[in-house]
Amino acid sequence: GINAEYGGDDVVIWNKAIKELEHNTWFSAPWLFIECYMYRYLHEVFQTTSTLTYPAFDIFRDEKCKGLQDSLGNMSKIADLLSHISCPSVSEIEQFVKLSLWGNKTDLSLLKHFNLELADVQNTAVDKNN
């Protein structure tokens, strides 16, 4: 389980969910739960050690920061689009799915051999959905 000593508002929720799935393994528990738990557990590892500091450990930090900066304009466009929708139609849900795939293309942009410009990929996805 998650150690309450290292904090977080989510400790009780995580430990309850872990208890409910205690008879599962990494391979039989729901995939999304396992993936989220893995990242939550890694967060705890970083919180419990003085030798693994996140900024020093993350070798992709510079690329992630640049990607965030390059994405802010398009993220703002998407937020504006979503803020006007209270009950999405089927076509709007399809647009949301296409926009979520934009994130996959953004992840691919971190690959050294992937030569598309991040902003071009995002602009294409945003423009097609406006």
Side-chain angles (χ1 to χ4, degrees), residues 31-83:
W31 167 81
L32 183 58
F33 175 83
I34 292 298
E35 182 163 348
C36 293
Y37 175 71
M38 177 189 69
Y39 287 112
R40 177 57 175 89
Y41 183 79
L42 287 172
H43 172 75
E44 184 174 322
V45 168
F46 279 90
Q47 296 299 312
T48 60
T49 180
S50 61
T51 57
L52 292 175
T53 58
Y54 182 73
F57 186 77
D58 187 359
I59 61 172
F60 298 106
R61 186 173 192 274
D62 292 341
E63 288 92 345
K64 290 177 184 177
C65 289
K66 183 180 181 325
L68 175 62
Q69 288 291 21
D70 291 348
S71 302
L72 288 176
N74 287 319
M75 290 167 57
S76 178
K77 289 178 188 177
I78 292 170
D80 186 52
L81 173 72
L82 295 176
S83 69

Side-chain angles (χ1 to χ4, degrees), residues 11-125:
V11 172
V12 171
I13 295 167
W14 273 110
N15 286 335
K16 181 180 179 209
I18 291 166
K19 181 76 173 155
E20 290 172 6
L21 295 170
E22 69 184 344
H23 297 292
N24 284 275
T25 68
W26 283 99
F27 301 108
S28 65
W31 167 81
L32 183 58
F33 175 83
I34 292 298
E35 182 163 348
C36 293
Y37 175 71
M38 177 189 69
Y39 287 112
R40 177 57 175 89
Y41 183 79
L42 287 172
H43 172 75
E44 184 174 322
V45 168
F46 279 90
Q47 296 299 312
T48 60
T49 180
S50 61
T51 57
L52 292 175
T53 58
Y54 182 73
F57 186 77
D58 187 359
I59 61 172
F60 298 106
R61 186 173 192 274
D62 292 341
E63 288 92 345
K64 290 177 184 177
C65 289
K66 183 180 181 325
L68 175 62
Q69 288 291 21
D70 291 348
S71 302
L72 288 176
N74 287 319
M75 290 167 57
S76 178
K77 289 178 188 177
I78 292 170
D80 186 52
L81 173 72
L82 295 176
S83 69
H84 300 296
I85 299 172
S86 59
C87 185
S89 67
V90 171
S91 67
E92 289 170 329
I93 291 172
E94 288 174 356
Q95 288 178 344
F96 299 154
V97 170
K98 289 176 185 176
L99 285 171
S100 72
L101 294 175
W102 162 56
N104 291 342
K105 289 183 179 182
T106 301
D107 288 344
L108 288 174
S109 72
L110 294 175
L111 297 175
K112 296 299 180 196
H113 67 276
F114 193 77
N115 61 6
L116 286 176
E117 286 296 318
L118 177 60
D120 293 340
V121 172
Q122 292 171 345
N123 284 330
T124 301

